[in-house]
Amino acid sequence: MPISEEYVREERIKRLRKFVRTGESHLLTLHDAVKRYLRMVPQGAEPFKVKGIDGDVVLHPPIVWDRDHLIALGMFTDNKLHNTYATISKWLFSDAANLSLRDLNDDLLAEFEALSNPIDLTVGQGKKTAEEQLDQLALDIEARVAIFAAQLKSDGEHEDITPALRDAPGGWPHLRGIIADPVLDGYLAQMRRRRTKSEISAAIGAAKEVTEATIKHVASATGLTPANPNSTSLGQWWKLIEPTLESAKIEKALGSKDLGLIKLLASQVNTVSSLGELRNKVGTGHGKSVHPAGLTTAHALFAIDTAHTVTRYLTN
């Protein structure tokens, strides 16, 4: 009995969706791994046991704990208890390879094959620190998730991978090289913490700072400087760079002024201005003695997603 093309397509989409969502889950596991591992190891130098699938393992800690010892031991314990990194390695080495040959079109297959070999934390990577290994692992996962999500898009489907990439270590890759890594990682750490009102305020402040830094980079790259840089608002910075943006040069269809993309671009001055005002009123800074009532994680995410969208547009 012949199998229809539509059935084959639907089965491929099911496999791709499952793979992408598993990758997103791995990214979210990693995004707070370091913080978790630094908390979970008992203090002191006494030996202690870790219960694993194959029985207890006695660990003899070093006399002096350092950050990398703590992270490495946390990774070991997590893998022993939950098979975390063995599972991730299988996803990277076996599942990805099988799907790439089976489900990617020629262009995406070539892109996949051009990726560097993923890191395998079950083996170790020589002189890399544990934290460096975790960061590299996140980048390896992210690269593969993006390719398989692109195949879904090619099949006419859409899988929103933005939240996982936004919250993962090494996230916001479009700003790497634009904002210094230590500075960007500091902002991203603030944006990932969104539980208390103080953390929500800090996340909103960081979203505004990332947006402003990106707009200033675009201005600098095009040789633009406002008359009074220190007193220029975020909205005024946007107005300064707006004429240089590629979409602003799109020819208006048949001379009409109603081209939607141009309208959308023009409206962004209100978006970035509002982000600046939101930071001034409820974000960090400006000496507020209390946090506004009703401030929730949803407000922080709204500001963060706005910053992510605007900065991604400016740098792509």
Side-chain angles (χ1 to χ4, degrees):
M1 177 179 174
I3 300 176
S4 72
E5 280 296 316
E6 184 62 23
Y7 177 81
V8 171
R9 174 181 172 276
E10 289 299 321
E11 289 302 302
R12 180 172 65 247
I13 286 170
K14 286 179 185 177
R15 289 193 298 272
L16 289 167
R17 278 222 161 103
K18 181 179 179 181
F19 179 83
V20 168
R21 288 171 182 173
T22 301
E24 290 177 306
S25 176
H26 292 327
L27 280 173
L28 293 174
T29 295
L30 290 172
H31 106 264
D32 66 345
V34 169
K35 182 171 58 180
R36 223 163 10 97
Y37 297 157
L38 290 174
R39 289 198 310 260
M40 68 187 284
V41 178
Q43 296 302 304
E46 295 299 318
F48 62 95
K49 291 181 180 180
V50 175
K51 291 187 177 296
I53 297 171
D54 302 321
D56 292 349
V57 175
V58 178
L59 298 175
H60 297 273
I63 298 301
V64 178
W65 287 108
D66 63 22
R67 180 183 177 88
D68 199 53
H69 275 121
L70 290 168
I71 295 170
L73 191 53
M75 290 164 56
F76 173 85
T77 304
D78 199 1
N79 196 50
K80 194 70 178 172
L81 293 176
H82 308 296
N83 223 27
T84 302
Y85 296 106
T87 301
I88 292 176
S89 290
K90 177 181 179 296
W91 183 90
L92 279 167
F93 287 92
S94 302
D95 300 348
N98 291 337
L99 259 74
S100 64
L101 295 173
R102 186 178 184 183
D103 293 325
L104 293 180
N105 63 38
D106 290 345
D107 290 341
L108 290 172
L109 179 59
E111 189 176 335
F112 179 89
E113 291 176 339
L115 294 174
S116 59
N117 291 330
I119 193 168
D120 184 359
L121 295 187
T122 60
V123 175
Q125 294 293 312
K127 294 183 179 180
K128 279 185 177 292
T129 67
E131 193 163 6
E132 287 170 341
Q133 291 183 55
L134 287 173
D135 287 343
Q136 184 59 53
L137 183 62
L139 294 174
D140 290 340
I141 293 172
E142 181 181 317
R144 285 154 180 78
V145 166
I147 287 175
F148 286 95
Q151 180 62 56
L152 276 171
K153 186 176 180 181
S154 177
D155 280 327
E157 299 294 315
H158 178 69
E159 188 72 20
D160 185 11
I161 60 175
T162 298
L165 300 189
R166 181 196 61 210
D167 277 350
W172 298 54
H174 59 285
L175 294 184
R176 300 289 166 179
I178 292 174
I179 300 176
D181 282 353
V183 176
L184 179 58
D185 288 335
Y187 288 142
L188 298 187
Q190 285 182 298
M191 287 190 276
R192 286 197 293 267
R193 294 190 291 267
R194 306 182 290 262
R195 293 187 180 89
T196 67
K197 284 187 177 180
S198 294
E199 289 175 344
I200 290 169
S201 292
I204 290 171
K208 181 264 184 184
E209 297 297 335
V210 163
T211 305
E212 183 171 352
T214 306
I215 292 175
K216 287 179 177 178
H217 167 81
V218 173
S220 176
T222 50
L224 298 173
T225 307
N228 298 298
N230 293 332
S231 60
T232 301
S233 69
L234 194 56
Q236 290 168 332
W237 274 106
W238 179 270
K239 287 182 179 179
L240 182 69
I241 67 167
E242 186 176 354
T244 70
L245 302 179
E246 196 63 34
S247 297
K249 302 173 186 176
I250 295 175
E251 184 177 343
K252 295 179 176 62
L254 302 177
S256 168
K257 296 181 180 180
D258 298 328
L259 189 61
L261 189 56
I262 293 176
K263 284 185 171 181
L264 183 62
L265 182 67
S267 71
Q268 294 310 299
V269 66
N270 294 326
T271 300
V272 297
S273 294
S274 297
L275 187 59
E277 291 172 10
L278 180 65
R279 179 263 184 181
N280 291 342
K281 292 178 179 178
V282 304
T284 48
H286 296 276
K288 290 178 291 297
S289 59
V290 295
H291 295 288
L295 194 62
T296 69
T297 297
H299 299 122
L301 281 174
F302 196 15
I304 292 165
D305 285 340
T306 297
H308 193 272
T309 299
V310 169
T311 58
R312 191 172 51 182
Y313 171 74
L314 290 176
T315 54
N316 284 340

